Amino acid sequence: MPPPFSKQEYGQRLERVRASMASHHLDALVIGDPANMNWLTGFDAWSFYVPQVMLVQHEVPPIWMGRMMDAGAVSLTTWLGPESVRPYGEEYVQRSDVHPMQEVAGFIASERLDGKRIGYEGDSYFFSPKSLACLEAGLPGASWVDAELLVNWCRAVKSEAEIAVMRQASRLVEGAMQTAYANIAPGVRQCDLMAQILSAQVGGNAEFGGDQTALSPLILAGEAASTAHPMWTDEPFGENQTVALELGGTRKRYNAGLARTLQLGRGPQQLFDTASAVEEGLEAVLESIRPGVATGDVHDAWQSVLDKHGLVKESRIGYGIGVGYPPDWGEHTISLRAGEKTVLETGMTLHVMLGMWMDGWGMELSETVVVTSDGVECLTDFERGVHIID
Amino acid sequence: MPPPFSKQEYGQRLERVRASMASHHLDALVIGDPANMNWLTGFDAWSFYVPQVMLVQHEVPPIWMGRMMDAGAVSLTTWLGPESVRPYGEEYVQRSDVHPMQEVAGFIASERLDGKRIGYEGDSYFFSPKSLACLEAGLPGASWVDAELLVNWCRAVKSEAEIAVMRQASRLVEGAMQTAYANIAPGVRQCDLMAQILSAQVGGNAEFGGDQTALSPLILAGEAASTAHPMWTDEPFGENQTVALELGGTRKRYNAGLARTLQLGRGPQQLFDTASAVEEGLEAVLESIRPGVATGDVHDAWQSVLDKHGLVKESRIGYGIGVGYPPDWGEHTISLRAGEKTVLETGMTLHVMLGMWMDGWGMELSETVVVTSDGVECLTDFERGVHIID
């Protein structure tokens, strides 16, 4: 399987990162986030459970540094050559007296980077305080700088090729949601519905299958519906239960999210009233999205509808979405939230996520969208109203 | 759904952690690892994608500190009361100018812990350098100590109730492997087999279903078989392909792992010779496991069989297994590796994992086991030989 994008496209991404590194006066960048590693090079393996990084410099190709038994994934999933592989030995794995990042520090030092200004990702999932301390100790002359979301911001605007992959991810999540609609009923166990959802997400269709979604699929039903990210259980769905589903479809590690609400039997009028207001709010949000608009202004469009209906929602209503491994498909950059100043650009992809977690029940409605030259396009396409199962 | 274990059992776990804290002279411990939070209190939600911690002190119950919209998961999944909930507001989520751990630092300071000796988990997945820096800045008078695997080590010996749950997890992974055996064939796409595997893992049986496994299910086939943790693809299985599967079953977040090797059609003699040696090696490993034996001695039993057959394996042959969220079910404590000094105790659970990643092909054989008072018991029970699909 060749990498999902052309050598040329990865080359353009690398230049984008290097330009940002230059503007931050960085001689090198240590990437710990597996989503950033994947976006930049295609690297794809379940190897981030042990310390690994991708080292980016200005003059030579990115270099993967990770566990020996995972080194084969470089040639398998990227365009990088053998000069881009620095494996550490098995003797470094999960021992109290040594740490893999001690060896990695040596690899980085051998690139003549001690004394240089090196960025790291200080708030990503798989780069620990201990890892950072090992690098600092191993290159004491370097100036270590938290580069924060440098790479994540480079990912915000998607290419046509990326959007094509996200369209496929959208087909996968639509199929998963349709499967849920077709199989949910009072008495069905949550785990059995989830088994069918997972099967649809991954089995996909005749043309392509899916990957594991970065966010776990979520079922909000019964007492769990008042919290945002509960785990599924063995409990059967109940009579007259309101059920919100937040599902994903993932293709080549690109995620599309889709949330919908179902009513098993008779539902409270409050649900339908809230759902109607939220649908109106979604329309207002989509109307407001276009290049040049600030994300705070998009939130204002939503807030004006909420105010009209006397509803309150404290959390943001969307975020950038794209490449992601567990536990998150959000890019941690763009937020649709009051007062935010990020200006939308053509090619940005967002998960517009309207979750209302009320006292004892919840409803959700979302779309994965792309900002177009003159507005917005929903990548996901699925009936929006509360779906009633009689 | 009540927590999976009794109040009394969680109380015993807490006392075990407090005793270890006392021996490390810690006044408090900040737990960032969601597996440790779950083991200690039952807390279970997909909320670890934003910063959250569990604060453990000697005199008051553990306190969860996390995102407002996830606070409901405390009463939903633990025995803890409302006094154990400190939510931070939505205004802290994924913004460049503030960080949730600034607010959390305030929560910790309000427990009168500034000036005290506080442990943190410096090498866990979901506690970042930035999070640590925020806590240090917010409690400048505290002495911050890397407590490393303090809680993980408390988890090493399992109770009877935990082993009962791991038996259920073992039934789940056996079912998943049986599903794979029944459906794999040349021409079947990897993603379609994986869809069936996931469905079996989660749908479970009439008595109970499963959770998402902490390690992604792995298919080693074709060129991907020479690396240890490749991701599945859309490619069909080939004629005469050797396929290794490393699968899990997960019940109440407790994982059981099982790896097996299949041959589609005719296989090379080298595979069967290697498999035969590995089966002999597994028997030797199981013979050697009993309370009082050092894990390095278990590895010696394996090595003697490898030496006899002229085989080489560089990586360890097993590790502690139990509660886990993605990306790992290993406990990062016990390793079956040459020279290791950890002494086995009754109730320790291990994934004995014999992976031979050769040049261009690979085979795997594993069992999840528990150390008993006089030896070892395999929790997983599945035909061990290379399975030939004609």
PDB file of all heavy atoms in Angstrom, chain B residues 346-375:
ATOM      1  N   THR B 346       1.462 -14.622  43.342  1.00  0.00           N
ATOM      2  CA  THR B 346       0.127 -15.144  43.050  1.00  0.00           C
ATOM      3  C   THR B 346      -0.812 -13.980  42.718  1.00  0.00           C
ATOM      4  O   THR B 346      -0.850 -12.991  43.435  1.00  0.00           O
ATOM      5  CB  THR B 346      -0.431 -15.897  44.277  1.00  0.00           C
ATOM      6  OG1 THR B 346       0.484 -16.923  44.636  1.00  0.00           O
ATOM      7  CG2 THR B 346      -1.791 -16.517  43.964  1.00  0.00           C
ATOM      8  N   GLY B 347      -1.546 -14.115  41.605  1.00  0.00           N
ATOM      9  CA  GLY B 347      -2.510 -13.091  41.211  1.00  0.00           C
ATOM     10  C   GLY B 347      -1.993 -12.118  40.174  1.00  0.00           C
ATOM     11  O   GLY B 347      -2.752 -11.299  39.660  1.00  0.00           O
ATOM     12  N   MET B 348      -0.707 -12.184  39.863  1.00  0.00           N
ATOM     13  CA  MET B 348      -0.206 -11.340  38.772  1.00  0.00           C
ATOM     14  C   MET B 348      -0.721 -11.888  37.443  1.00  0.00           C
ATOM     15  O   MET B 348      -0.785 -13.105  37.257  1.00  0.00           O
ATOM     16  CB  MET B 348       1.321 -11.315  38.756  1.00  0.00           C
ATOM     17  CG  MET B 348       1.919 -10.465  39.866  1.00  0.00           C
ATOM     18  SD  MET B 348       3.742 -10.476  39.804  1.00  0.00           S
ATOM     19  CE  MET B 348       4.109  -9.110  40.929  1.00  0.00           C
ATOM     20  N   THR B 349      -1.094 -10.993  36.535  1.00  0.00           N
ATOM     21  CA  THR B 349      -1.590 -11.403  35.220  1.00  0.00           C
ATOM     22  C   THR B 349      -0.624 -10.912  34.146  1.00  0.00           C
ATOM     23  O   THR B 349      -0.169  -9.766  34.166  1.00  0.00           O
ATOM     24  CB  THR B 349      -2.996 -10.832  34.970  1.00  0.00           C
ATOM     25  OG1 THR B 349      -3.009  -9.450  35.319  1.00  0.00           O
ATOM     26  CG2 THR B 349      -4.032 -11.576  35.784  1.00  0.00           C
ATOM     27  N   LEU B 350      -0.316 -11.797  33.219  1.00  0.00           N
ATOM     28  CA  LEU B 350       0.695 -11.515  32.203  1.00  0.00           C
ATOM     29  C   LEU B 350       0.159 -11.840  30.823  1.00  0.00           C
ATOM     30  O   LEU B 350      -0.628 -12.776  30.656  1.00  0.00           O
ATOM     31  CB  LEU B 350       1.931 -12.401  32.434  1.00  0.00           C
ATOM     32  CG  LEU B 350       2.562 -12.379  33.828  1.00  0.00           C
ATOM     33  CD1 LEU B 350       3.587 -13.509  33.944  1.00  0.00           C
ATOM     34  CD2 LEU B 350       3.226 -11.025  34.079  1.00  0.00           C
ATOM     35  N   HIS B 351       0.592 -11.053  29.833  1.00  0.00           N
ATOM     36  CA  HIS B 351       0.400 -11.456  28.449  1.00  0.00           C
ATOM     37  C   HIS B 351       1.733 -12.011  27.965  1.00  0.00           C
ATOM     38  O   HIS B 351       2.688 -11.258  27.753  1.00  0.00           O
ATOM     39  CB  HIS B 351      -0.035 -10.258  27.585  1.00  0.00           C
ATOM     40  CG  HIS B 351      -0.431 -10.631  26.191  1.00  0.00           C
ATOM     41  ND1 HIS B 351      -0.291  -9.783  25.115  1.00  0.00           N
ATOM     42  CD2 HIS B 351      -0.957 -11.778  25.695  1.00  0.00           C
ATOM     43  CE1 HIS B 351      -0.724 -10.387  24.012  1.00  0.00           C
ATOM     44  NE2 HIS B 351      -1.130 -11.591  24.334  1.00  0.00           N
ATOM     45  N   VAL B 352       1.798 -13.335  27.872  1.00  0.00           N
ATOM     46  CA  VAL B 352       3.001 -14.000  27.356  1.00  0.00           C
ATOM     47  C   VAL B 352       2.926 -13.919  25.840  1.00  0.00           C
ATOM     48  O   VAL B 352       2.077 -14.568  25.218  1.00  0.00           O
ATOM     49  CB  VAL B 352       3.084 -15.464  27.817  1.00  0.00           C
ATOM     50  CG1 VAL B 352       4.326 -16.130  27.226  1.00  0.00           C
ATOM     51  CG2 VAL B 352       3.093 -15.544  29.337  1.00  0.00           C
ATOM     52  N   MET B 353       3.771 -13.092  25.240  1.00  0.00           N
ATOM     53  CA  MET B 353       3.611 -12.709  23.839  1.00  0.00           C
ATOM     54  C   MET B 353       4.866 -13.061  23.051  1.00  0.00           C
ATOM     55  O   MET B 353       5.899 -12.422  23.202  1.00  0.00           O
ATOM     56  CB  MET B 353       3.342 -11.193  23.793  1.00  0.00           C
ATOM     57  CG  MET B 353       3.309 -10.594  22.406  1.00  0.00           C
ATOM     58  SD  MET B 353       1.958 -11.297  21.420  1.00  0.00           S
ATOM     59  CE  MET B 353       2.435 -10.757  19.796  1.00  0.00           C
ATOM     60  N   LEU B 354       4.735 -14.113  22.240  1.00  0.00           N
ATOM     61  CA  LEU B 354       5.885 -14.611  21.495  1.00  0.00           C
ATOM     62  C   LEU B 354       5.719 -14.206  20.032  1.00  0.00           C
ATOM     63  O   LEU B 354       5.077 -14.907  19.257  1.00  0.00           O
ATOM     64  CB  LEU B 354       5.969 -16.131  21.663  1.00  0.00           C
ATOM     65  CG  LEU B 354       5.922 -16.589  23.138  1.00  0.00           C
ATOM     66  CD1 LEU B 354       5.858 -18.106  23.226  1.00  0.00           C
ATOM     67  CD2 LEU B 354       7.121 -16.054  23.920  1.00  0.00           C
ATOM     68  N   GLY B 355       6.263 -13.061  19.697  1.00  0.00           N
ATOM     69  CA  GLY B 355       6.174 -12.574  18.321  1.00  0.00           C
ATOM     70  C   GLY B 355       7.519 -12.725  17.635  1.00  0.00           C
ATOM     71  O   GLY B 355       8.543 -12.259  18.131  1.00  0.00           O
ATOM     72  N   MET B 356       7.511 -13.411  16.495  1.00  0.00           N
ATOM     73  CA  MET B 356       8.743 -13.580  15.714  1.00  0.00           C
ATOM     74  C   MET B 356       8.548 -12.799  14.415  1.00  0.00           C
ATOM     75  O   MET B 356       7.826 -13.242  13.529  1.00  0.00           O
ATOM     76  CB  MET B 356       8.987 -15.061  15.415  1.00  0.00           C
ATOM     77  CG  MET B 356       9.019 -15.963  16.657  1.00  0.00           C
ATOM     78  SD  MET B 356      10.432 -15.658  17.768  1.00  0.00           S
ATOM     79  CE  MET B 356      11.789 -16.307  16.790  1.00  0.00           C
ATOM     80  N   TRP B 357       9.140 -11.608  14.348  1.00  0.00           N
ATOM     81  CA  TRP B 357       8.991 -10.788  13.156  1.00  0.00           C
ATOM     82  C   TRP B 357      10.239 -10.998  12.311  1.00  0.00           C
ATOM     83  O   TRP B 357      11.293 -10.417  12.560  1.00  0.00           O
ATOM     84  CB  TRP B 357       8.783  -9.321  13.554  1.00  0.00           C
ATOM     85  CG  TRP B 357       7.558  -9.198  14.413  1.00  0.00           C
ATOM     86  CD1 TRP B 357       6.270  -9.256  13.988  1.00  0.00           C
ATOM     87  CD2 TRP B 357       7.494  -9.051  15.829  1.00  0.00           C
ATOM     88  NE1 TRP B 357       5.402  -9.161  15.063  1.00  0.00           N
ATOM     89  CE2 TRP B 357       6.133  -9.039  16.196  1.00  0.00           C
ATOM     90  CE3 TRP B 357       8.461  -8.935  16.848  1.00  0.00           C
ATOM     91  CZ2 TRP B 357       5.716  -8.902  17.532  1.00  0.00           C
ATOM     92  CZ3 TRP B 357       8.043  -8.807  18.156  1.00  0.00           C
ATOM     93  CH2 TRP B 357       6.680  -8.794  18.491  1.00  0.00           C
ATOM     94  N   MET B 358      10.087 -11.873  11.329  1.00  0.00           N
ATOM     95  CA  MET B 358      11.228 -12.300  10.539  1.00  0.00           C
ATOM     96  C   MET B 358      11.371 -11.399   9.322  1.00  0.00           C
ATOM     97  O   MET B 358      10.661 -10.414   9.174  1.00  0.00           O
ATOM     98  CB  MET B 358      11.048 -13.760  10.117  1.00  0.00           C
ATOM     99  CG  MET B 358      10.543 -14.670  11.233  1.00  0.00           C
ATOM    100  SD  MET B 358      11.652 -14.822  12.666  1.00  0.00           S
ATOM    101  CE  MET B 358      12.707 -16.152  12.080  1.00  0.00           C
ATOM    102  N   ASP B 359      12.266 -11.755   8.450  1.00  0.00           N
ATOM    103  CA  ASP B 359      12.536 -10.941   7.265  1.00  0.00           C
ATOM    104  C   ASP B 359      11.443 -11.197   6.223  1.00  0.00           C
ATOM    105  O   ASP B 359      11.511 -12.149   5.460  1.00  0.00           O
ATOM    106  CB  ASP B 359      13.922 -11.288   6.709  1.00  0.00           C
ATOM    107  CG  ASP B 359      14.334 -10.318   5.616  1.00  0.00           C
ATOM    108  OD1 ASP B 359      13.808  -9.194   5.593  1.00  0.00           O
ATOM    109  OD2 ASP B 359      15.177 -10.712   4.788  1.00  0.00           O
ATOM    110  N   GLY B 360      10.396 -10.356   6.214  1.00  0.00           N
ATOM    111  CA  GLY B 360       9.343 -10.485   5.225  1.00  0.00           C
ATOM    112  C   GLY B 360       8.149 -11.318   5.647  1.00  0.00           C
ATOM    113  O   GLY B 360       7.168 -11.405   4.927  1.00  0.00           O
ATOM    114  N   TRP B 361       8.204 -11.949   6.804  1.00  0.00           N
ATOM    115  CA  TRP B 361       7.040 -12.666   7.328  1.00  0.00           C
ATOM    116  C   TRP B 361       7.120 -12.666   8.846  1.00  0.00           C
ATOM    117  O   TRP B 361       8.141 -12.330   9.433  1.00  0.00           O
ATOM    118  CB  TRP B 361       6.973 -14.097   6.771  1.00  0.00           C
ATOM    119  CG  TRP B 361       8.138 -14.963   7.177  1.00  0.00           C
ATOM    120  CD1 TRP B 361       9.383 -14.948   6.631  1.00  0.00           C
ATOM    121  CD2 TRP B 361       8.171 -15.915   8.245  1.00  0.00           C
ATOM    122  NE1 TRP B 361      10.196 -15.848   7.276  1.00  0.00           N
ATOM    123  CE2 TRP B 361       9.474 -16.458   8.268  1.00  0.00           C
ATOM    124  CE3 TRP B 361       7.227 -16.367   9.160  1.00  0.00           C
ATOM    125  CZ2 TRP B 361       9.867 -17.430   9.192  1.00  0.00           C
ATOM    126  CZ3 TRP B 361       7.606 -17.340  10.077  1.00  0.00           C
ATOM    127  CH2 TRP B 361       8.930 -17.864  10.086  1.00  0.00           C
ATOM    128  N   GLY B 362       6.021 -13.009   9.467  1.00  0.00           N
ATOM    129  CA  GLY B 362       6.007 -13.016  10.924  1.00  0.00           C
ATOM    130  C   GLY B 362       5.024 -14.032  11.460  1.00  0.00           C
ATOM    131  O   GLY B 362       4.085 -14.423  10.778  1.00  0.00           O
ATOM    132  N   MET B 363       5.276 -14.496  12.658  1.00  0.00           N
ATOM    133  CA  MET B 363       4.319 -15.381  13.332  1.00  0.00           C
ATOM    134  C   MET B 363       4.216 -14.963  14.795  1.00  0.00           C
ATOM    135  O   MET B 363       5.158 -14.393  15.357  1.00  0.00           O
ATOM    136  CB  MET B 363       4.725 -16.841  13.209  1.00  0.00           C
ATOM    137  CG  MET B 363       5.956 -17.244  13.971  1.00  0.00           C
ATOM    138  SD  MET B 363       5.739 -18.860  14.779  1.00  0.00           S
ATOM    139  CE  MET B 363       4.380 -18.566  15.886  1.00  0.00           C
ATOM    140  N   GLU B 364       3.075 -15.222  15.388  1.00  0.00           N
ATOM    141  CA  GLU B 364       2.855 -14.838  16.770  1.00  0.00           C
ATOM    142  C   GLU B 364       2.072 -15.934  17.495  1.00  0.00           C
ATOM    143  O   GLU B 364       1.221 -16.595  16.897  1.00  0.00           O
ATOM    144  CB  GLU B 364       2.045 -13.540  16.851  1.00  0.00           C
ATOM    145  CG  GLU B 364       2.751 -12.354  16.218  1.00  0.00           C
ATOM    146  CD  GLU B 364       1.975 -11.046  16.343  1.00  0.00           C
ATOM    147  OE1 GLU B 364       0.738 -11.092  16.398  1.00  0.00           O
ATOM    148  OE2 GLU B 364       2.632  -9.995  16.385  1.00  0.00           O
ATOM    149  N   LEU B 365       2.358 -16.063  18.780  1.00  0.00           N
ATOM    150  CA  LEU B 365       1.624 -16.997  19.641  1.00  0.00           C
ATOM    151  C   LEU B 365       1.619 -16.382  21.031  1.00  0.00           C
ATOM    152  O   LEU B 365       2.676 -15.982  21.532  1.00  0.00           O
ATOM    153  CB  LEU B 365       2.327 -18.361  19.659  1.00  0.00           C
ATOM    154  CG  LEU B 365       1.705 -19.439  20.558  1.00  0.00           C
ATOM    155  CD1 LEU B 365       0.326 -19.857  20.079  1.00  0.00           C
ATOM    156  CD2 LEU B 365       2.640 -20.668  20.634  1.00  0.00           C
ATOM    157  N   SER B 366       0.461 -16.245  21.631  1.00  0.00           N
ATOM    158  CA  SER B 366       0.423 -15.652  22.970  1.00  0.00           C
ATOM    159  C   SER B 366      -0.685 -16.266  23.809  1.00  0.00           C
ATOM    160  O   SER B 366      -1.614 -16.893  23.291  1.00  0.00           O
ATOM    161  CB  SER B 366       0.225 -14.138  22.884  1.00  0.00           C
ATOM    162  OG  SER B 366      -1.145 -13.799  22.767  1.00  0.00           O
ATOM    163  N   GLU B 367      -0.567 -16.086  25.113  1.00  0.00           N
ATOM    164  CA  GLU B 367      -1.635 -16.433  26.061  1.00  0.00           C
ATOM    165  C   GLU B 367      -1.676 -15.358  27.142  1.00  0.00           C
ATOM    166  O   GLU B 367      -0.640 -14.803  27.515  1.00  0.00           O
ATOM    167  CB  GLU B 367      -1.352 -17.788  26.764  1.00  0.00           C
ATOM    168  CG  GLU B 367      -1.223 -18.987  25.858  1.00  0.00           C
ATOM    169  CD  GLU B 367      -2.541 -19.501  25.275  1.00  0.00           C
ATOM    170  OE1 GLU B 367      -3.605 -18.886  25.538  1.00  0.00           O
ATOM    171  OE2 GLU B 367      -2.503 -20.511  24.549  1.00  0.00           O
ATOM    172  N   THR B 368      -2.861 -15.110  27.648  1.00  0.00           N
ATOM    173  CA  THR B 368      -3.007 -14.290  28.848  1.00  0.00           C
ATOM    174  C   THR B 368      -3.134 -15.236  30.029  1.00  0.00           C
ATOM    175  O   THR B 368      -3.978 -16.146  30.015  1.00  0.00           O
ATOM    176  CB  THR B 368      -4.236 -13.376  28.721  1.00  0.00           C
ATOM    177  OG1 THR B 368      -4.017 -12.481  27.631  1.00  0.00           O
ATOM    178  CG2 THR B 368      -4.454 -12.565  29.995  1.00  0.00           C
ATOM    179  N   VAL B 369      -2.269 -15.042  31.018  1.00  0.00           N
ATOM    180  CA  VAL B 369      -2.167 -16.013  32.113  1.00  0.00           C
ATOM    181  C   VAL B 369      -2.235 -15.315  33.462  1.00  0.00           C
ATOM    182  O   VAL B 369      -1.988 -14.113  33.573  1.00  0.00           O
ATOM    183  CB  VAL B 369      -0.843 -16.817  32.025  1.00  0.00           C
ATOM    184  CG1 VAL B 369      -0.655 -17.404  30.622  1.00  0.00           C
ATOM    185  CG2 VAL B 369       0.362 -15.957  32.411  1.00  0.00           C
ATOM    186  N   VAL B 370      -2.559 -16.110  34.479  1.00  0.00           N
ATOM    187  CA  VAL B 370      -2.502 -15.614  35.859  1.00  0.00           C
ATOM    188  C   VAL B 370      -1.597 -16.543  36.657  1.00  0.00           C
ATOM    189  O   VAL B 370      -1.631 -17.770  36.490  1.00  0.00           O
ATOM    190  CB  VAL B 370      -3.921 -15.523  36.480  1.00  0.00           C
ATOM    191  CG1 VAL B 370      -4.665 -16.854  36.440  1.00  0.00           C
ATOM    192  CG2 VAL B 370      -3.856 -14.988  37.911  1.00  0.00           C
ATOM    193  N   VAL B 371      -0.761 -15.938  37.492  1.00  0.00           N
ATOM    194  CA  VAL B 371       0.095 -16.717  38.374  1.00  0.00           C
ATOM    195  C   VAL B 371      -0.775 -17.248  39.520  1.00  0.00           C
ATOM    196  O   VAL B 371      -1.485 -16.486  40.167  1.00  0.00           O
ATOM    197  CB  VAL B 371       1.244 -15.852  38.945  1.00  0.00           C
ATOM    198  CG1 VAL B 371       2.163 -16.696  39.833  1.00  0.00           C
ATOM    199  CG2 VAL B 371       2.033 -15.193  37.819  1.00  0.00           C
ATOM    200  N   THR B 372      -0.727 -18.556  39.708  1.00  0.00           N
ATOM    201  CA  THR B 372      -1.521 -19.178  40.775  1.00  0.00           C
ATOM    202  C   THR B 372      -0.605 -19.540  41.940  1.00  0.00           C
ATOM    203  O   THR B 372       0.617 -19.368  41.859  1.00  0.00           O
ATOM    204  CB  THR B 372      -2.213 -20.461  40.260  1.00  0.00           C
ATOM    205  OG1 THR B 372      -1.199 -21.373  39.809  1.00  0.00           O
ATOM    206  CG2 THR B 372      -3.127 -20.136  39.090  1.00  0.00           C
ATOM    207  N   SER B 373      -1.194 -20.065  42.997  1.00  0.00           N
ATOM    208  CA  SER B 373      -0.383 -20.345  44.191  1.00  0.00           C
ATOM    209  C   SER B 373       0.692 -21.386  43.918  1.00  0.00           C
ATOM    210  O   SER B 373       1.726 -21.401  44.579  1.00  0.00           O
ATOM    211  CB  SER B 373      -1.289 -20.789  45.337  1.00  0.00           C
ATOM    212  OG  SER B 373      -2.007 -21.945  44.943  1.00  0.00           O
ATOM    213  N   ASP B 374       0.457 -22.244  42.921  1.00  0.00           N
ATOM    214  CA  ASP B 374       1.472 -23.269  42.668  1.00  0.00           C
ATOM    215  C   ASP B 374       1.916 -23.347  41.210  1.00  0.00           C
ATOM    216  O   ASP B 374       2.504 -24.338  40.791  1.00  0.00           O
ATOM    217  CB  ASP B 374       0.954 -24.633  43.133  1.00  0.00           C
ATOM    218  CG  ASP B 374      -0.290 -25.059  42.356  1.00  0.00           C
ATOM    219  OD1 ASP B 374      -0.831 -24.215  41.608  1.00  0.00           O
ATOM    220  OD2 ASP B 374      -0.718 -26.213  42.507  1.00  0.00           O
ATOM    221  N   GLY B 375       1.641 -22.318  40.426  1.00  0.00           N
ATOM    222  CA  GLY B 375       2.088 -22.357  39.035  1.00  0.00           C
ATOM    223  C   GLY B 375       1.433 -21.268  38.224  1.00  0.00           C
ATOM    224  O   GLY B 375       1.549 -20.086  38.543  1.00  0.00           O
TER     225      GLY B 375
END
